[in-house]
Amino acid sequence: MEIQSRPIAQLGESILREIAPVIDNIAAETVQQLAQEMLLTLENSSGVGLAAPQIFESTRLIIVASRPTKRYPYAPEMAPTVMINPEYTPTDTVLEKDWEGCLSIPGIRALVPRYPSIRVVYYSLEGERKEVTLAGFVARVFQHEYDHLNGLVYLDRVENNRDIISEQAFFKLIAA
Ligand code: NI
């Protein structure tokens, strides 16, 4: 199979507002190829996560790949993790606000309330059921990508329009 980097759907594309169906056959070549193309697309971007609808595939596959990049200089380093049919339950009751951005919504950042700790269940690319606890920035990335599977973007969770800023202002803020 030929693996290609894919264009990113931008806010306003209807696919970003659809509920993605579950994946029945993880071993299918289309699913395996999709995962490889998402990994490549992410590698070629400065993102820390990607959801299949963002590359115009309405299906329940996300990648969580926290790493320090020019868009997120403070992000912790982890191996990119492909998560199929992911689900989560919060292990905290209080939400915490922190900055998020999205490859589908370039140029801005916003403070988004998320659970700081979550229990996640997903299937790996090999079809294995996995259970992990995620915390902090990685838990935030997961919740952001998970929302994409349900037709939500992070702006939908912003509490106040004043929590939305330009990326330029964001970089000034974190450099201060
Ligand atoms: Ni996003």
Side-chain angles (χ1 to χ4, degrees), residues 11 32 36 43 52 67 83 95 103 115 136 146 156 171:
L11 185 65
Q32 298 291 317
Q36 296 311 318
E43 209 180 286
R67 56 184 168 144
M83 299 180 176
L95 295 160
L103 292 172
Y115 294 107
Y146 178 87
D156 300 329
F171 284 126

Side-chain angles (χ1 to χ4, degrees), residues 8 10-11 46 71-72 99-110 154-155 163-172:
I8 306 277
Q10 301 293 295
L11 185 65
S46 47
R71 290 179 69 242
Y72 298 94
W99 295 105
E100 293 185 21
C102 181
L103 292 172
S104 295
I105 312 170
I108 62 167
R109 298 295 176 105
Y154 76 97
L155 294 178
D163 287 339
I164 305 174
I165 65 173
S166 73
E167 198 157 66
Q168 227 176 347
F170 169 75
F171 284 126
K172 242 172 33 184

Side-chain angles (χ1 to χ4, degrees), residues 8 16 49-51 54 71-72 100-105 114 141 144-145 147-148 152-154:
I8 306 277
L16 293 175
L50 191 65
Q54 289 186 278
R71 290 179 69 242
Y72 298 94
E100 293 185 21
C102 181
L103 292 172
S104 295
I105 312 170
R114 301 281 189 193
V141 173
H144 175 118
E145 302 312 332
D147 273 353
H148 277 302
L152 293 172
V153 298
Y154 76 97

Side-chain angles (χ1 to χ4, degrees), residues 113-164:
R114 301 281 189 193
Y115 294 107
S117 174
I118 55 175
R119 190 81 185 146
V120 171
V121 178
Y122 67 94
Y123 288 83
S124 73
L125 210 39
E126 293 74 39
E128 259 178 88
R129 185 179 184 276
K130 306 269 192 186
E131 260 191 82
V132 289
T133 299
L134 302 181
F137 186 76
V138 180
R140 176 170 295 279
V141 173
F142 176 92
Q143 289 165 84
H144 175 118
E145 302 312 332
Y146 178 87
D147 273 353
H148 277 302
L149 303 182
N150 292 331
L152 293 172
V153 298
Y154 76 97
L155 294 178
D156 300 329
R157 297 206 182 268
V158 170
E159 282 177 349
N160 187 321
N161 283 339
R162 290 170 188 241
D163 287 339
I164 305 174

